Amino acid sequence: LLRAACMLAMGAAPAFNTPKGADPAGEVALICPSTLASAIASDDPPLVLEATVGCAASGASCFVPGAVLFDLAAVDVYEEDATGSPLPLPGNYNLRPPAALRAALERHGVRARRRCVVYTQSRLHTT
């Protein structure tokens, strides 16, 4: 979702294996921890976002040092019932309108041509 939001609002940023100045045309790749650590320590570190649901305002800390908490509610419109199931509403589980989406991404440091790593500490939803 956030990958699509970044591409929609900002255009694609260079991937880690793409030479500087090359146009990766929306290339998205997985990155291993050692490559991420090297990238963070480089002269041109990527923006690292930890995608969360409801945690960004809680004062929670990130798993990756220097990462920015990013609440998915900033880019996604969703309504759920008490069990966490999506409500059958028009537009539910869609991205916000383009201007709001772009503003939310820019508030968190996402910029055109800036490398960005998004990760989450997903948890299994059980009832």
Side-chain angles (χ1 to χ4, degrees):
L1 169 70
L2 191 54
R3 174 179 64 90
C6 289
M7 290 172 64
L8 173 69
M10 307 305 296
F16 289 94
N17 58 352
T18 303
K20 214 172 190 127
D23 182 6
E27 181 178 338
V28 175
L30 294 176
I31 183 171
C32 69
S34 61
T35 302
L36 177 59
S38 295
I40 290 171
S42 75
D43 291 337
D44 185 25
L47 171 65
V48 180
L49 297 174
E50 181 174 326
T52 66
V53 177
C55 295
S58 70
S61 60
C62 294
F63 181 74
V64 174
V68 176
L69 284 173
F70 185 87
D71 193 332
L72 291 174
V75 296
D76 193 19
V77 176
Y78 62 91
E79 295 287 332
E80 298 174 339
D81 65 19
T83 68
S85 297
L87 293 173
L89 301 171
N92 205 15
Y93 280 82
N94 283 300
L95 293 175
R96 295 196 179 280
L101 178 60
R102 183 180 189 114
L105 293 171
E106 288 178 343
R107 270 194 310 277
H108 287 84
V110 175
R111 302 283 184 270
R113 310 292 307 154
R114 182 175 186 190
R115 295 181 303 168
C116 183
V117 174
V118 179
Y119 74 95
T120 187
Q121 298 183 55
S122 61
R123 293 176 177 80
L124 179 61
H125 180 72
T126 59
T127 55

